[in-house]
Amino acid sequence: MAESKYVKSKIFFEEEFEEKLAEVPTDPKGPWPANDNLKIIGKPVSRIDGYDKVSGTAVYTFDINLPRMAQARILRSAVPHAKIKKIDTGKAESLPGVLGILSSNNAQEIKWFNTSSLFDTHLRYQGDEIACVVAESEAIALKALKLIKIEFDELPFTVDAKEAMGEKAPKIYDEGNIQGGKPFEYARGDVDKAFQEADAIVEDTFDTQVAIHNPTEVHCSVVNWDGDDLTVWDSTQAIYGVRDTVADALKMPASKVRIIKKYMGGGFGSKLECGKYTVMAALLARKIGRPVRIVVDRKEMNLAVGNRPNSVQKLKLAASKDGTLTAISHYSYGAIGGYEGGAGCSWPARQMYKCDNVKVEEYSVFTNTGPTRPFRAPGYPQGIFALDSAIDMLAEKIRMNPLEFRMKNNAEKHPMWNAPFTSKLLKEAYEQGAKAIGWDKRNNQPGADKGPVKKGMGMASQIWWGGGGPPSHAVLKLNRDGSARVIAGTQDLGTGTYTFMAQIVHEVLDIPMDKIEVILGDTAVGPYCPSSGGSTTAPSVSPAVRDAAENMKIKLLEAAAAQLESEKKNLVYVNGLISDTSNPEKKIDIPGLMGKMGEQTITTTGSREANPEGYITQTFGAQFAKVEVDTLTGKIKVNKIVAAHDIGRVLNRKTLDNQFHGGIMQGLSYALMEEQIVDINTGKVVNTNLHDYKIPIIADIPEIEVIIVSEADPMNSNTGVKGCGEPAIIPTAAAIANAVYNAIGVRIKSLPMTPDKVLMALNQA
Ligand code: MOS
C-alpha cells in the first residue's frame, strides 16, 4: 500500500495564500518527460463526455426529475433599499397548489455566513431575498409570489461607489459604507522619492464596468430528503463547500448531506459558494416531505448571484530614461453591493512588473447594488486594463517600444516577496507572441492610417496564480476485464476534467480510453478535492490521478511478481503487458493477472504532493491584438488575437484551446460590449437579460492563435500542470485598448469601449 504523510502546504486560492494541512504521498512520482515522449498527454483528445452533451442526453441539475417533486421560486426585492415592516403570506398560502412559504416570518433563525439571517428584513439591493414559495408547479409558485403582500419603508439608496463613500450617502451598515472601515493598503520602497527623481511620469484615471458571469446553465438545486439524509443536486463549482455550508445552515452532520454535480454549463466563479436558494429548497423540502427543485432564472442571475465589480483606478507611474519602471501608485475603489465582497484590483500593480516603489490604496464600498462574486480572475482583467494602458503611455513618453519596455521590467523573482518562481517563461511569451502577430509591422505613429478606418496593434501582459496544491485525492479501481474507474471529489465545470483524468490513467496503465470511466461530482463517492476555482482544478487533481495510476502499476507489478514467481526488479510493464526481462516465457496481461486474484476489483488511491517550500508558482503570458476602428461610427473590430502563455504542461490541446478561446471571447466582450447598467434614479438594473446585456456573437469573434511556450513546471507537481482558465481572459481587454490607441491615436480609458466613447474621445482630441 502506498503510504502518506501530513504536511503544511501553501496554496494560493483566488485572492490569498492559505496554509493547509494536507495528506500527501511519501513517494512523489517525479516529473513526466516532455509531451512529445508521452502517448496521449498533450494531444487534442475529444471530450469523453462530448457525445452525451451534443446528443442532449447529458443530465444537468435542471434535468433531475424526482417523483412528487415540487417547484420553488424566490420573491426578491423590487427596490434597492428598504426595511420590511410586515409580510402577509395569507393570500399566497390559500392559492391552490401552494405547499409552503418561507420568509423572515418563519425562518428568521436560519443564519447565513454569520452576517445576516437567510431572510433579512433589511433589503439592501434590487434582488435581495424576501420569501420563497414552494408549489405544485413553477407557474403556481410564480403566481403565489405576486400574492405576497409586503409592507415596507423605502430607504434612500446609493448605487454609486464614489457617492457611497461620501459623508452624505445613506448608510447601508451602521458602521459606514467602506468595508472594514478602511482601505486595503500596500507599500514597498519610497514612491514619493521615486516620483521626484523620475525622468517621466504618467498619471490617469481608468474605469471598468460591472460584468455578470451569466454561465449558460442557470443556477439550480434539486433537493431530496430520505429520512434524515439529504441529497442535493446542485450546479456548483464546489461540491464539498456546498455540503459543509448546507450542513452548517441546517445544523446537521456533514455525513448526512450528499452533493451531486455531474455535468455543468459553466460557473466562472458565480457558483463557487453555496447559494441561499439551496438552503431554502432544503428547508421547504423537509417541511413538505417532498423533493423540491429551485431555479434561479436569467433575470435573477443578472441581479443576485454575483458580478465582477466595477472599478475606478487612479494610476501614477514613473520611469527613468533607460526604461526602468521606478514607481507605481494605484488608488482604486469599486462597489461591492449590499453584502460582503471585494472590489480589489491592485494585484497586477503589485506583482506584474519589477518595480521597487509601489503604493496601493483600495476601497471596497457597500452600495445598494447586487453582490460581487469571484469572476474569472477576480480583479485582474480590470487591474491589467488600467496598468497596461498606463504602461503603454509611459513607454510612449520615454519613446520606447512597449514590448521592449515590458521585457526590460520583467521580474526575475517575485517582486513582493523576492522569492523565486517554480517556472516563469514570460519573456518567451513576449517573444513568440510578438513574432506571431507581426509586431515589427506595428504603426510607429498612432493614428497614422489614411482614411476613416484605421488599423492598430497592441499588447498586454498576464500574471495569475494557478499552481494548485494539496489536499486533492483520487481513487482508481481496476476490474478483471481490464476496465477501470477513476473517482475524485472534484467537479467538471465544462472545462474537460473528465477527459484529462481518463487520459492520465491511459498514459500510465495503457488501459484503452473507452474502458476508463470517470466519476466526479459526488461527495458520497469521491475522495476530497478542492473547489474548482482559481484555475487550480487540473494542477491540483491531475497529480493525484497520476499518483493513483502509478500506485496501481506498482501494485500490479507486485502481484505479477508473486504470480509469475519472478523478481520484481526484472518485471517491466509495457502496453498493458507485464513481462520478465530475465525470462521471455514469463508474461501476463492485466485481465490474465486479475483472473488469478481473489479480488474482482483492486483499488489504489493517489494524492497531490506538497508545493515546494520557498517557491511561488504563477502563470504568465501576453496577448497581442490587431484591431480596426471606424472613426465615423466609432465601431471597433478585433481582427486577430495572439495569446502566448506559460501555463505549465498542456494535458489536452483541444480542451486547452477551448479554454483560451472562451476566455478571449469573454475578454473581448468585456472590452467592447458587456456592462450591467443601473438607473441611478431608481437604483434598478435595466438590462437583466441576454438581449439587453450585450455579449458577442460568432461574427464578432476574431481569429485566435494560442501559443503555449511552456513544456511543464516539474517543480510544481508530478504532472507539471499550471491552470489556464483564468489566464486566458486577463490581458485581452488591455491588449485591445492598446491596439485601439495605436489605431486612432486617442486613448479610451473606460470599459466597455463602446462606439459612443470612441466618438466622444475622437471629438475631444
Ligand atoms: Mo473562479 S473566479 O471560478 O476561479
Side-chain angles (χ1 to χ4, degrees), residues 13-15 213 237 267-272 308 373-378 464 493 532-536 725-726:
F13 184 75
E14 291 296 355
E15 286 166 84
H213 307 70
Q237 297 173 229
F268 308 120
S270 66
K271 298 171 182 170
L272 263 175
R308 184 189 296 284
R373 281 275 173 99
F375 186 169
R376 205 170 193 166
W464 179 248
L493 313 191
S532 291
S535 305
T536 58
E726 285 162 305

Side-chain angles (χ1 to χ4, degrees), residues 24 31 127 170 294 380 385 387 415 419 421 463 471 505 553 663 673 710:
V24 299
I294 191 162
Y380 281 63
F385 165 66
L387 178 67
F421 299 106
I463 189 167
V505 173
K553 188 185 262 184
M673 298 170 195
S710 48

Side-chain angles (χ1 to χ4, degrees), residues 36-58:
D36 281 351
N37 299 316
L38 293 174
K39 286 164 277 189
I40 198 168
I41 296 299
K43 306 289 181 295
V45 180
S46 292
R47 289 160 192 263
I48 61 172
D49 49 335
Y51 180 80
D52 273 6
K53 287 179 174 173
V54 296
S55 63
T57 52

Side-chain angles (χ1 to χ4, degrees), residues 366-404:
F366 290 117
T367 48
N368 296 111
T369 55
T372 68
R373 281 275 173 99
F375 186 169
R376 205 170 193 166
Y380 281 63
Q382 54 268 56
I384 284 285
F385 165 66
L387 178 67
D388 266 40
S389 294
I391 286 283
D392 261 37
M393 292 162 68
L394 190 56
E396 188 177 34
K397 208 158 189 181
I398 57 166
R399 292 168 209 256
M400 198 164 176
N401 186 303
L403 172 63
E404 199 188 319

